[in-house]
Amino acid sequence: MTDAVGSIDMPDAQDEVQESKKKARKGGKRAKKGPLKRLALFYRQIIAELRKVVWPTRNQLTSYTTVVIFFVAIMIAVVTLIDYGLSHAAKYVFG
């Protein structure tokens, strides 16, 4: 009886080759380095990424901070009004 490609009864030959390749590889590049070297590499990569960041100017930072503080103040006012209204509505309904 002939099976379809990839059936459960007869695995493909390609699957067996791929599984043997996966088993042969142990750790790759990380297995060759100690934990301190990997940690040093990690920190070097962090510093390299931080150098790529476009930092805002002082004027931009001031305007962004002002907008955030203003928005948070408005949201606090909205939530306070909603809470005040719901508490009075609950007192009215439940006595």
PDB file of all heavy atoms in Angstrom, residues 33-47:
ATOM      1  N   LYS A  33      31.580  29.864  24.441  1.00  0.00           N
ATOM      2  CA  LYS A  33      31.925  30.991  25.289  1.00  0.00           C
ATOM      3  C   LYS A  33      31.455  30.729  26.711  1.00  0.00           C
ATOM      4  O   LYS A  33      30.441  30.102  26.940  1.00  0.00           O
ATOM      5  CB  LYS A  33      31.282  32.273  24.767  1.00  0.00           C
ATOM      6  CG  LYS A  33      31.789  32.697  23.423  1.00  0.00           C
ATOM      7  CD  LYS A  33      31.119  33.974  22.987  1.00  0.00           C
ATOM      8  CE  LYS A  33      31.614  34.390  21.617  1.00  0.00           C
ATOM      9  NZ  LYS A  33      30.960  35.610  21.169  1.00  0.00           N
ATOM     10  N   GLY A  34      32.193  31.269  27.657  1.00  0.00           N
ATOM     11  CA  GLY A  34      31.807  31.157  29.053  1.00  0.00           C
ATOM     12  C   GLY A  34      30.720  32.152  29.403  1.00  0.00           C
ATOM     13  O   GLY A  34      30.410  33.058  28.629  1.00  0.00           O
ATOM     14  N   PRO A  35      30.158  32.027  30.598  1.00  0.00           N
ATOM     15  CA  PRO A  35      29.062  32.927  30.982  1.00  0.00           C
ATOM     16  C   PRO A  35      29.496  34.385  31.107  1.00  0.00           C
ATOM     17  O   PRO A  35      28.731  35.287  30.802  1.00  0.00           O
ATOM     18  CB  PRO A  35      28.580  32.375  32.323  1.00  0.00           C
ATOM     19  CG  PRO A  35      29.656  31.481  32.800  1.00  0.00           C
ATOM     20  CD  PRO A  35      30.411  31.007  31.604  1.00  0.00           C
ATOM     21  N   LEU A  36      30.736  34.628  31.545  1.00  0.00           N
ATOM     22  CA  LEU A  36      31.188  36.015  31.663  1.00  0.00           C
ATOM     23  C   LEU A  36      31.393  36.659  30.298  1.00  0.00           C
ATOM     24  O   LEU A  36      31.095  37.839  30.108  1.00  0.00           O
ATOM     25  CB  LEU A  36      32.483  36.083  32.479  1.00  0.00           C
ATOM     26  CG  LEU A  36      32.326  35.733  33.960  1.00  0.00           C
ATOM     27  CD1 LEU A  36      33.669  35.779  34.654  1.00  0.00           C
ATOM     28  CD2 LEU A  36      31.345  36.657  34.635  1.00  0.00           C
ATOM     29  N   LYS A  37      31.866  35.889  29.332  1.00  0.00           N
ATOM     30  CA  LYS A  37      32.041  36.436  27.984  1.00  0.00           C
ATOM     31  C   LYS A  37      30.687  36.714  27.343  1.00  0.00           C
ATOM     32  O   LYS A  37      30.522  37.691  26.627  1.00  0.00           O
ATOM     33  CB  LYS A  37      32.853  35.476  27.123  1.00  0.00           C
ATOM     34  CG  LYS A  37      34.316  35.436  27.504  1.00  0.00           C
ATOM     35  CD  LYS A  37      35.113  34.609  26.541  1.00  0.00           C
ATOM     36  CE  LYS A  37      36.578  34.610  26.928  1.00  0.00           C
ATOM     37  NZ  LYS A  37      37.397  33.857  25.992  1.00  0.00           N
ATOM     38  N   ARG A  38      29.712  35.855  27.605  1.00  0.00           N
ATOM     39  CA  ARG A  38      28.372  36.088  27.061  1.00  0.00           C
ATOM     40  C   ARG A  38      27.751  37.320  27.696  1.00  0.00           C
ATOM     41  O   ARG A  38      27.097  38.120  27.025  1.00  0.00           O
ATOM     42  CB  ARG A  38      27.468  34.880  27.305  1.00  0.00           C
ATOM     43  CG  ARG A  38      27.818  33.703  26.430  1.00  0.00           C
ATOM     44  CD  ARG A  38      26.777  32.653  26.508  1.00  0.00           C
ATOM     45  NE  ARG A  38      26.479  32.317  27.896  1.00  0.00           N
ATOM     46  CZ  ARG A  38      26.176  31.120  28.327  1.00  0.00           C
ATOM     47  NH1 ARG A  38      26.105  30.115  27.502  1.00  0.00           N
ATOM     48  NH2 ARG A  38      25.912  30.901  29.592  1.00  0.00           N
ATOM     49  N   LEU A  39      27.978  37.517  29.011  1.00  0.00           N
ATOM     50  CA  LEU A  39      27.453  38.692  29.688  1.00  0.00           C
ATOM     51  C   LEU A  39      28.111  39.966  29.154  1.00  0.00           C
ATOM     52  O   LEU A  39      27.437  40.974  28.924  1.00  0.00           O
ATOM     53  CB  LEU A  39      27.683  38.571  31.193  1.00  0.00           C
ATOM     54  CG  LEU A  39      27.014  39.603  32.073  1.00  0.00           C
ATOM     55  CD1 LEU A  39      25.498  39.524  31.930  1.00  0.00           C
ATOM     56  CD2 LEU A  39      27.419  39.403  33.514  1.00  0.00           C
ATOM     57  N   ALA A  40      29.415  39.915  28.924  1.00  0.00           N
ATOM     58  CA  ALA A  40      30.117  41.070  28.366  1.00  0.00           C
ATOM     59  C   ALA A  40      29.606  41.387  26.963  1.00  0.00           C
ATOM     60  O   ALA A  40      29.409  42.556  26.610  1.00  0.00           O
ATOM     61  CB  ALA A  40      31.625  40.802  28.338  1.00  0.00           C
ATOM     62  N   LEU A  41      29.371  40.355  26.169  1.00  0.00           N
ATOM     63  CA  LEU A  41      28.818  40.553  24.825  1.00  0.00           C
ATOM     64  C   LEU A  41      27.436  41.195  24.903  1.00  0.00           C
ATOM     65  O   LEU A  41      27.115  42.101  24.137  1.00  0.00           O
ATOM     66  CB  LEU A  41      28.746  39.225  24.079  1.00  0.00           C
ATOM     67  CG  LEU A  41      28.059  39.251  22.721  1.00  0.00           C
ATOM     68  CD1 LEU A  41      28.844  40.102  21.738  1.00  0.00           C
ATOM     69  CD2 LEU A  41      27.874  37.855  22.187  1.00  0.00           C
ATOM     70  N   PHE A  42      26.634  40.734  25.846  1.00  0.00           N
ATOM     71  CA  PHE A  42      25.288  41.283  26.032  1.00  0.00           C
ATOM     72  C   PHE A  42      25.347  42.776  26.330  1.00  0.00           C
ATOM     73  O   PHE A  42      24.630  43.581  25.732  1.00  0.00           O
ATOM     74  CB  PHE A  42      24.586  40.526  27.156  1.00  0.00           C
ATOM     75  CG  PHE A  42      23.226  41.042  27.486  1.00  0.00           C
ATOM     76  CD1 PHE A  42      22.168  40.894  26.597  1.00  0.00           C
ATOM     77  CD2 PHE A  42      22.984  41.675  28.695  1.00  0.00           C
ATOM     78  CE1 PHE A  42      20.910  41.372  26.900  1.00  0.00           C
ATOM     79  CE2 PHE A  42      21.729  42.156  29.001  1.00  0.00           C
ATOM     80  CZ  PHE A  42      20.693  41.999  28.106  1.00  0.00           C
ATOM     81  N   TYR A  43      26.233  43.191  27.255  1.00  0.00           N
ATOM     82  CA  TYR A  43      26.351  44.606  27.596  1.00  0.00           C
ATOM     83  C   TYR A  43      26.918  45.422  26.444  1.00  0.00           C
ATOM     84  O   TYR A  43      26.528  46.567  26.227  1.00  0.00           O
ATOM     85  CB  TYR A  43      27.180  44.797  28.865  1.00  0.00           C
ATOM     86  CG  TYR A  43      26.401  44.443  30.104  1.00  0.00           C
ATOM     87  CD1 TYR A  43      26.793  43.410  30.936  1.00  0.00           C
ATOM     88  CD2 TYR A  43      25.237  45.130  30.429  1.00  0.00           C
ATOM     89  CE1 TYR A  43      26.057  43.085  32.066  1.00  0.00           C
ATOM     90  CE2 TYR A  43      24.493  44.811  31.551  1.00  0.00           C
ATOM     91  CZ  TYR A  43      24.913  43.789  32.363  1.00  0.00           C
ATOM     92  OH  TYR A  43      24.189  43.467  33.466  1.00  0.00           O
ATOM     93  N   ARG A  44      27.843  44.855  25.684  1.00  0.00           N
ATOM     94  CA  ARG A  44      28.358  45.575  24.508  1.00  0.00           C
ATOM     95  C   ARG A  44      27.244  45.798  23.487  1.00  0.00           C
ATOM     96  O   ARG A  44      27.165  46.849  22.851  1.00  0.00           O
ATOM     97  CB  ARG A  44      29.507  44.790  23.868  1.00  0.00           C
ATOM     98  CG  ARG A  44      30.821  44.958  24.601  1.00  0.00           C
ATOM     99  CD  ARG A  44      31.990  44.500  23.755  1.00  0.00           C
ATOM    100  NE  ARG A  44      31.857  43.144  23.257  1.00  0.00           N
ATOM    101  CZ  ARG A  44      32.318  42.045  23.870  1.00  0.00           C
ATOM    102  NH1 ARG A  44      32.965  42.159  25.017  1.00  0.00           N
ATOM    103  NH2 ARG A  44      32.156  40.856  23.339  1.00  0.00           N
ATOM    104  N   GLN A  45      26.371  44.811  23.336  1.00  0.00           N
ATOM    105  CA  GLN A  45      25.254  44.959  22.403  1.00  0.00           C
ATOM    106  C   GLN A  45      24.259  46.002  22.896  1.00  0.00           C
ATOM    107  O   GLN A  45      23.694  46.753  22.091  1.00  0.00           O
ATOM    108  CB  GLN A  45      24.561  43.610  22.203  1.00  0.00           C
ATOM    109  CG  GLN A  45      25.383  42.643  21.405  1.00  0.00           C
ATOM    110  CD  GLN A  45      24.742  41.263  21.325  1.00  0.00           C
ATOM    111  OE1 GLN A  45      23.832  40.947  22.088  1.00  0.00           O
ATOM    112  NE2 GLN A  45      25.219  40.445  20.409  1.00  0.00           N
ATOM    113  N   ILE A  46      24.047  46.071  24.203  1.00  0.00           N
ATOM    114  CA  ILE A  46      23.157  47.095  24.755  1.00  0.00           C
ATOM    115  C   ILE A  46      23.707  48.488  24.457  1.00  0.00           C
ATOM    116  O   ILE A  46      22.988  49.378  23.998  1.00  0.00           O
ATOM    117  CB  ILE A  46      22.991  46.908  26.279  1.00  0.00           C
ATOM    118  CG1 ILE A  46      22.145  45.680  26.562  1.00  0.00           C
ATOM    119  CG2 ILE A  46      22.358  48.137  26.919  1.00  0.00           C
ATOM    120  CD1 ILE A  46      22.050  45.340  28.032  1.00  0.00           C
ATOM    121  N   ILE A  47      24.998  48.680  24.700  1.00  0.00           N
ATOM    122  CA  ILE A  47      25.617  49.984  24.450  1.00  0.00           C
ATOM    123  C   ILE A  47      25.555  50.343  22.972  1.00  0.00           C
ATOM    124  O   ILE A  47      25.276  51.484  22.604  1.00  0.00           O
ATOM    125  CB  ILE A  47      27.066  49.988  24.979  1.00  0.00           C
ATOM    126  CG1 ILE A  47      27.048  49.929  26.506  1.00  0.00           C
ATOM    127  CG2 ILE A  47      27.826  51.219  24.508  1.00  0.00           C
ATOM    128  CD1 ILE A  47      28.390  49.667  27.135  1.00  0.00           C
TER     129      ILE A  47
END
